[in-house]
Amino acid sequence: MAFHVEGLVAIIIFYLAILFVGIWAAWRTKNSRGDGDPREGIIVGGRDIGLLVGAFTTTATWVGGGYINGTAEAVYVSGYGLAWAQAPIGYSLSLIVGGLFFAKPMRSKGYVTMLDPFQQIYGKRMGGLLFVPALMGEMFWAAAILSALGATISVIVDIDINISVIVSALIAIFYTLVGGLYSVAYTDVVQLFCIFIGLWISVPFAMTHPAVTDITVTAVEEVYKDPWLGSIRREDAWSWIDSFLLLILGGIPWQAYFQRVLSASSATYAQVLSILAAFGCLVMAIPSILIGAIGASTEWNQTAYGLPDPQTRNETDMILPIVLQYLCPPYISFFGLGAVSAAVMSSADSSVLSASSMFARNIYQLSFRQNASEREISLVMKITVFVFGAGATAMALLAKSVYGLWYLSSDLVYIVIFPQLLCVLFIKGTNTYGSVMGYILGLFLRISGGEPYLHLQALICYGDCYLDRNNIYLQRFPFKTLSMLVSFLTNIAISYLAKYLFEKGILSPKFDFLNAVVAKHSEENMDKTTLVKSDNINLSELAPVKPRHSITLGNTFVNKEAISDLDSSPESPELENKDL
């Protein structure tokens, strides 16, 4: 493949434009923040991200390289088709469910990160334990999409894959370092327009190529391959439902999502931007679906790509850039390449910022340095942005099973973190004992189900199993959703059992080694003076409670009125009038 100067110039122009916007956003937030909290500025944008920008950055967080490439691939692959392209509908419903049920309680409490309620209710150590799957999800996701970027660029522009990955990561890390969420949010707006315009410009050229058959015909008839609308076989129905629920419910407990929710200027805005982002995800998937359909409708021996086709060559994951390269004029394919690169960066920067936010806030500050200054926390944030960004880049370049690790970690977010989030926000009375047992049992059930991407053999066959071509057992039973439900119910059951045993005196208070039930508001639970400003709470609420009064005890562990607004201004009438 020849080196394409035009393609390289197009990429440089896109990257410089994004870098310029990121630096401008950093300058804007520095001049508008004044004497405000720099920690909140870099993590949640000073809580003044507007509705339109918030909706764009939330959409761009989901509409990344994996989203547009994966949607096109699912539509193209024989035996799958549009019926298995679950991401557009799944993530859109996830944003709607998150906006209707989770955005308001999280934003109205004024949390800074997704892990705050866990540390408030379950304690610092449990918060640290839940940090592990959350960090794994963000890091492996960033690594996976950076890895895909290098391969994408190599299809159209013959430059070294490693160089393209490193340069892209450095640009994303740089503007995230200098501007935090503001830079990420405003660059997301630019990147989203690049994706939309770049892909939509490419579609008409690809669709009218002489080698492409009418996609309305190939949707229902087998021409070059199976109809691209696809179908769901009866034996795969439960597996389809399992994956669909994972996208809907497992797409909620991500710091990248809650960072946008918590940056909104009000709880209502947080809900509205989630709904708008859901609509944006659907709209942004349309060109990817069409490109996948075009790929399935192409007679490849009439193109420079030739035979065998991409599926025979095991290049289905690259169908989108292949269509851009071989079915569009060069200047159009280069513009589309810039769009794909922008999509990757829009997700990579969000994941890196999310991981560093949780570490600086929930691990460094609340667990080890509760009296750390704002300047110190801001410095830790910047260091971890660089460290996590470098780590994701290294994994993208070196790891052979990045996607397998991401699939497994995203499953853990669904199975472990989602039921815990349900409990801390909506179930009154859960405690650390239930949280630990739910965590362990959910983790065990998921690992025992195996993971084909990592060649991890299943220990338990949940109903209907079958061997794949690598002699790895695959599950047809929806064991991921089963694991999530078991984790959720275990948390509730063990919490109430522990509470009952200690309150009734069946177990001695000395056995409450986690300090989660007996005698006082747990010392292990996060000191509320570090979670809320002291003028927003009454110190008497930290007084010991009698273990035999279940109502008082229950109120101690439910996040209802114990906290009003994390790090938010005390001028709110609701706070001034609330009797704490």
Side-chain angles (χ1 to χ4, degrees), residues 564-580:
S564 54
D565 216 3
L566 281 176
D567 296 355
S568 60
S569 62
E571 285 89 291
S572 169
E574 182 181 353
L575 293 178
E576 293 176 354
N577 298 329
K578 189 179 290 292
D579 181 12
L580 294 176

Side-chain angles (χ1 to χ4, degrees), residues 145-155 159-162 164-165 318:
I145 56 182
L146 283 172
S147 178
L149 172 66
T152 300
I153 292 180
S154 68
V155 170
I159 60 176
D160 186 74
I161 292 177
N162 295 343
S164 64
V165 171
M318 305 305 298

Side-chain angles (χ1 to χ4, degrees), residues 47-62 92 95-96 98-100 103 107 181 256-281:
R47 300 196 195 275
D48 64 350
I49 297 293
L51 182 60
L52 188 60
V53 173
F56 273 116
T57 186
T58 306
T59 303
T61 301
W62 265 252
S92 296
L95 287 166
I96 291 173
L100 293 178
R107 177 61 186 90
L181 184 62
Y257 167 65
F258 281 113
Q259 195 149 25
R260 274 77 187 158
V261 166
L262 298 175
S263 69
S265 55
S266 69
T268 301
Y269 269 28
Q271 291 183 297
V272 175
L273 71 83
S274 292
I275 305 300
L276 291 177
F279 176 75
C281 282

Side-chain angles (χ1 to χ4, degrees), residues 369-515:
R369 291 275 295 167
Q370 296 183 9
N371 296 322
S373 66
E374 295 167 353
R375 184 185 298 271
E376 181 179 347
I377 299 302
S378 181
L379 178 62
V380 171
M381 273 282 301
K382 293 180 178 180
I383 293 174
T384 51
V385 163
F386 179 80
V387 171
F388 290 149
T393 305
M395 284 189 288
L397 298 175
L398 303 176
K400 301 300 182 183
S401 300
V402 171
Y403 273 97
L405 292 171
W406 178 72
Y407 282 131
L408 181 59
S409 59
S410 63
D411 287 355
L412 296 182
V413 170
Y414 172 51
I415 293 165
V416 175
I417 300 182
F418 177 70
Q420 304 266 358
L421 185 64
L422 278 178
C423 288
V424 295
L425 292 181
F426 304 111
I427 306 298
K428 183 176 181 179
T430 57
N431 54 49
T432 313
Y433 294 104
S435 178
V436 171
M437 290 303 299
Y439 187 110
I440 294 174
L441 195 54
L443 180 63
F444 171 76
L445 292 176
R446 172 60 189 92
I447 298 297
S448 65
E451 178 50 62
Y453 284 95
L454 297 178
H455 301 284
L456 182 65
Q457 192 63 273
L459 300 177
I460 300 175
C461 181
Y462 294 90
D464 186 10
C465 299
Y466 65 98
L467 284 172
D468 68 358
R469 60 186 177 183
N470 296 318
N471 291 322
I472 301 293
Y473 277 103
L474 301 181
Q475 311 274 358
R476 284 197 173 103
F477 185 82
F479 77 103
K480 298 174 185 178
T481 299
L482 173 67
S483 302
M484 184 273 291
L485 292 174
V486 169
S487 178
F488 175 64
L489 296 175
T490 299
N491 191 342
I492 298 173
I494 298 300
S495 293
Y496 278 92
L497 177 62
K499 181 180 174 182
Y500 175 81
L501 293 176
F502 283 115
E503 286 185 352
K504 296 298 183 181
I506 299 174
L507 287 179
S508 170
K510 66 181 180 181
F511 293 113
D512 185 15
F513 59 94
L514 293 179
N515 294 324

Side-chain angles (χ1 to χ4, degrees), residues 187-198:
T187 53
D188 278 350
V189 174
V190 176
Q191 290 156 353
L192 206 60
F193 275 109
C194 290
I195 298 167
F196 186 80
I197 296 173

